[in-house]
Amino acid sequence: MPEGPSLVILKEQSARFVGQDIVRAGGNVRAIDPGRLVGQRIVGLHTWGKHFLIETPDLVLRIHFLLFGTYRIDERRDKEPRLSIETEDGGEMNFYACAIREIDRATFEAYDFSADVMSDSWDPKQARKKLRARPELLACDALLDQDIFSGVGNIIKNEVLFRIRVHPLSTMGALPAPKLRALVDEARQYSFDFLGWKKAFVLKQHWLAHARKICPRCDIPFKKANLGNTRRRAFYCERCQKLYN
C-alpha cells in the first residue's frame, strides 16, 4: 500500500500537469462520470497522507490507494485503470485498484495538513496532545491513526517502533514522556528517510524490522502477529522493544 512518502513522489512526478487542460478521461470508475473531467483545467495536485487530490475549477477528486492501489505516469499497466486522465501535452495519469470520489469544497478545505507527517504544516505538539488524550491507545494503532499521523503506514509503523525500542502493544498513557516524544519525532523522520530511500530504489535494503525474521540488535527471531484494533502485521523483538502498559 502506498504510504505518505510514495504519494509525495507521485505529486512530484505529476507536477507538470498543473495548469494543463484534461483532453480525455476514462476508466472503470463508477463513483464519478469521467467525462465530466474533459475540458477541465488541473489547478492543483495535493497530497494528504494517503490521499491524492486533483483539483479543477469545478470539482475536486479524492483518490485513496487503499491496500493495493498503484499508479502510472505516462504509461499503463496491462489492465484497465480505475481512472485514466490525459492532458493537452500528451501525458497521462493512470490509477489502479483505488477508491475515487468527488468531494465538496468544504471537505477539501477542511483537510488538516498539520496532521500530515510529510507536510510543511506538520505540528508535532498537536500530535502529542492527541496521543495524551487517548491513554489506552496502543502504539501499533496510534501510528496508523490517520487523524494523528496522516501518511504513516504499516512499514513506517514497524520501523519507528523498532527504532525507539517500543513494543507495539504499549499504551500511550504508559509511555514515558521522552518515548512519546520520540514516537512522534521518528514518525516524521522515518517518513523522510523512507522518501529518500524510495527515490534511490533502496528502501527494502534499509528495513530493520518490517518483514524481517531476525532482530539485528539481539540476533533472535522477531515476533510476527496481527496486533491492535487495526490487525495489521507487526514485526517486533520481545527483548529490545520494551512493553509499557
Side-chain angles (χ1 to χ4, degrees), residues 89-150:
D89 72 345
E92 58 184 301
M93 295 183 282
N94 296 294
F95 304 98
Y96 303 86
C98 52
I100 300 173
R101 72 179 182 92
E102 180 180 351
I103 60 173
D104 58 34
R105 283 284 164 180
T107 300
F108 173 61
E109 292 170 1
Y111 269 90
D112 179 10
F113 287 93
S114 70
D116 185 336
V117 294
M118 303 298 296
S119 172
D120 291 340
S121 301
W122 162 250
D123 186 347
K125 292 181 180 178
Q126 187 66 19
R128 293 194 297 270
K129 181 179 179 180
K130 291 176 182 177
L131 293 174
R132 286 193 293 266
R134 299 173 64 184
E136 300 305 315
L137 184 64
L138 299 176
C140 58
D141 290 332
L143 282 163
L144 294 178
D145 189 321
Q146 298 301 292
D147 290 330
I148 305 173
F149 297 107
S150 174

Side-chain angles (χ1 to χ4, degrees), residues 1-12 47 49-50 71 116-118 150-153 156 187-199 203:
M1 171 177 58
E3 302 190 27
S6 298
L7 266 68
V8 170
I9 293 173
L10 165 58
K11 182 180 177 181
E12 292 174 353
T47 62
K50 303 174 187 179
Y71 67 87
D116 185 336
V117 294
M118 303 298 296
S150 174
V152 169
I156 297 174
R188 179 170 170 85
Q189 181 59 55
Y190 192 87
S191 295
F192 278 93
D193 290 344
F194 184 121
L195 177 63
W197 293 329
K198 191 169 180 66
K199 285 183 174 181
L203 175 61

Side-chain angles (χ1 to χ4, degrees), residues 146-208:
Q146 298 301 292
D147 290 330
I148 305 173
F149 297 107
S150 174
V152 169
N154 208 45
I155 296 170
I156 297 174
K157 175 203 77 178
N158 286 320
E159 294 295 320
V160 165
L161 292 176
F162 184 72
R163 272 190 177 187
I164 67 173
R165 298 176 181 247
V166 168
H167 193 288
L169 293 180
S170 299
T171 61
M172 294 300 98
L175 277 187
K179 285 294 183 184
L180 188 141
R181 180 179 292 273
L183 185 145
V184 171
D185 292 346
E186 284 297 341
R188 179 170 170 85
Q189 181 59 55
Y190 192 87
S191 295
F192 278 93
D193 290 344
F194 184 121
L195 177 63
W197 293 329
K198 191 169 180 66
K199 285 183 174 181
F201 304 100
V202 295
L203 175 61
K204 290 185 179 181
Q205 296 175 29
H206 290 272
W207 289 353
L208 297 178

